[in-house]
Amino acid sequence: SPLDSFSITSHYGRRKDPFNGRWAAHNGLDLSSVRRASVFATAPGVVSFAGWKGRYGRVIIIDHGQGIKTRYGHLHKILVKKGQKVEYRARIGQLGSSGRSTGPHLHYEVHYKGRSKNPWRFIKAGKYVYKG
């Protein structure tokens, strides 16, 4: 998990947009926690983007190789730079509410070969892959 403690406030898949009430695709999980909670890399990789990206606000994208990328959006603060190598569980940012956000949370996405995947499946599988 990218956070030590959280609750899921919006799941992956179709949902009603919180701003306009219309049905829309939600390509990630919204994880609620305390403002400025530490956000961690969910696997080792290289930061491919760290900065402001429209509706995501302050966002970090990590390329893990083999076609897997993770996105961490709506951050309060970014603690890494583009091109930086990060290890598993490296502290990369702080949870916030930047961009198109209704309150403090982390928007977490997983992409495989350019297609979004349900992040919850990776979080559950990671419990068996990474111990510690």
Side-chain angles (χ1 to χ4, degrees), residues 24-132:
H26 186 241
N27 293 327
L29 282 179
D30 287 347
L31 308 174
S32 177
S33 190
V34 296
R35 188 180 299 270
R36 297 187 183 173
S38 292
V39 176
F40 303 99
T42 52
V46 176
V47 177
S48 61
F49 183 87
W52 190 273
K53 194 179 269 286
R55 64 186 178 163
Y56 292 106
R58 287 180 198 87
V59 65
I60 297 167
I61 300 172
I62 300 176
D63 187 336
H64 303 284
Q66 310 218 349
I68 299 174
K69 292 184 180 184
T70 51
R71 179 180 291 165
Y72 309 78
H74 304 306
L75 299 171
H76 170 75
K77 189 172 187 180
I78 294 171
L79 303 174
V80 293
K81 294 184 178 359
K82 182 179 177 179
Q84 182 176 337
K85 289 183 182 179
V86 294
E87 298 300 320
Y88 166 64
R89 295 289 292 166
R91 187 167 175 252
I92 59 171
Q94 294 178 338
L95 181 140
S97 185
S98 61
R100 191 172 184 265
S101 170
T102 57
H105 72 284
L106 174 69
H107 177 81
Y108 176 62
E109 293 183 8
V110 175
H111 293 259
Y112 177 64
K113 295 186 177 177
R115 298 184 62 121
S116 72
K117 299 294 178 184
N118 187 340
W120 186 243
R121 292 181 178 172
F122 289 83
I123 291 172
K124 285 194 315 186
K127 292 178 183 179
Y128 301 101
V129 175
Y130 291 106
K131 301 285 184 188

